[in-house]
Amino acid sequence: DFQALRQKSRGVILRAGQNLWIDKTFRTNYANAKSAGVLRGTYYFYDSRADPKKQAEKWIEALAGDYGELEHFADFEDSYGGKYHGWKHWYNFLERVKELAPGIKLGVYTGYYYWRENTNYMTSGITEASLNYFAQYPLWIAWYNPPDPFIPAPWTKWLFWQYTDDYPSDGWGA
């Protein structure tokens, strides 16, 4: 009920998909949010088992030319261990999205420890310059330990802070 949501929030970030599939309720929810006047963004759960460029193409297909009003977040928290794991593939994913949808507002969703573990200089092979590439994107940080979230390099601030994964008693989001 996006009319009711509008009374509680100015915006919503909806899951568009994962791997090479679009979330089965995405298109309906995205359209209904727009009709209700709710600002819209999306996230796409990056899955290391599928080609990053094909995942980017699926995300843009889901948006069907309507890029909403809020950022679209690449969700980097995958633990499948697929052959497309790691920052080099994340780079390819983001760059393909920008190629297909110039001007789209992108961001990164991740957790502090996940990001730190997967961009460690010693184990991931990332250079400082490559890590700094990601700083151009606003950060949506998952951090469930108050008071304030730890922020992974290369960011120094966050745009959104997800401080719980529990739905409130009224059922409106996390």
Side-chain angles (χ1 to χ4, degrees):
D1 183 347
F2 287 97
Q3 291 295 337
L5 175 64
R6 187 169 181 222
Q7 303 306 310
K8 296 177 176 280
S9 177
R10 292 181 41 221
V12 65
I13 298 173
L14 300 164
R15 183 171 82 165
Q18 175 180 340
N19 197 304
L20 298 178
W21 50 267
I22 297 169
D23 188 284
K24 65 183 178 180
T25 62
F26 172 71
R27 288 187 173 119
T28 300
N29 289 335
Y30 202 62
N32 289 344
K34 182 177 184 175
S35 294
V38 175
L39 303 177
R40 300 158 305 140
T42 67
Y43 73 93
Y44 200 92
F45 189 98
Y46 179 86
D47 189 323
S48 65
R49 299 170 296 183
D51 181 286
K53 291 181 180 181
K54 290 181 179 176
Q55 289 185 76
E57 291 161 5
K58 189 56 74 171
W59 192 4
I60 297 305
E61 176 188 331
L63 293 170
D66 180 356
Y67 302 130
E69 302 75 34
L70 300 174
E71 285 79 4
H72 300 275
F73 289 89
D75 182 347
F76 298 130
E77 59 180 326
D78 156 89
S79 60
Y80 298 117
K83 70 179 185 176
Y84 300 106
H85 180 77
W87 67 271
K88 290 178 184 177
H89 300 293
W90 302 341
Y91 171 88
N92 291 334
F93 176 67
L94 291 166
E95 286 299 305
R96 182 66 176 148
V97 169
K98 292 190 312 188
E99 180 183 319
L100 295 169
I104 192 170
K105 295 186 290 186
L106 288 174
V108 168
Y109 171 91
T110 195
Y112 173 79
Y113 291 106
Y114 178 86
W115 187 264
R116 195 175 81 172
E117 178 182 318
N118 288 283
T119 59
N120 178 294
Y121 295 112
M122 300 299 287
T123 58
S124 75
I126 196 170
T127 64
E128 187 174 353
S130 295
L131 182 62
N132 287 336
Y133 160 85
F134 294 97
Q136 70 183 291
Y137 302 108
L139 175 64
W140 174 9
I141 188 73
W143 180 261
Y144 308 135
N145 302 308
D148 292 321
F150 288 173
I151 301 170
W155 295 280
T156 58
K157 62 184 179 177
W158 48 266
L159 177 64
F160 294 123
W161 170 17
Q162 181 178 340
Y163 54 85
T164 184
D165 58 0
D166 290 332
Y167 288 98
S169 60
D170 63 7
W172 294 102

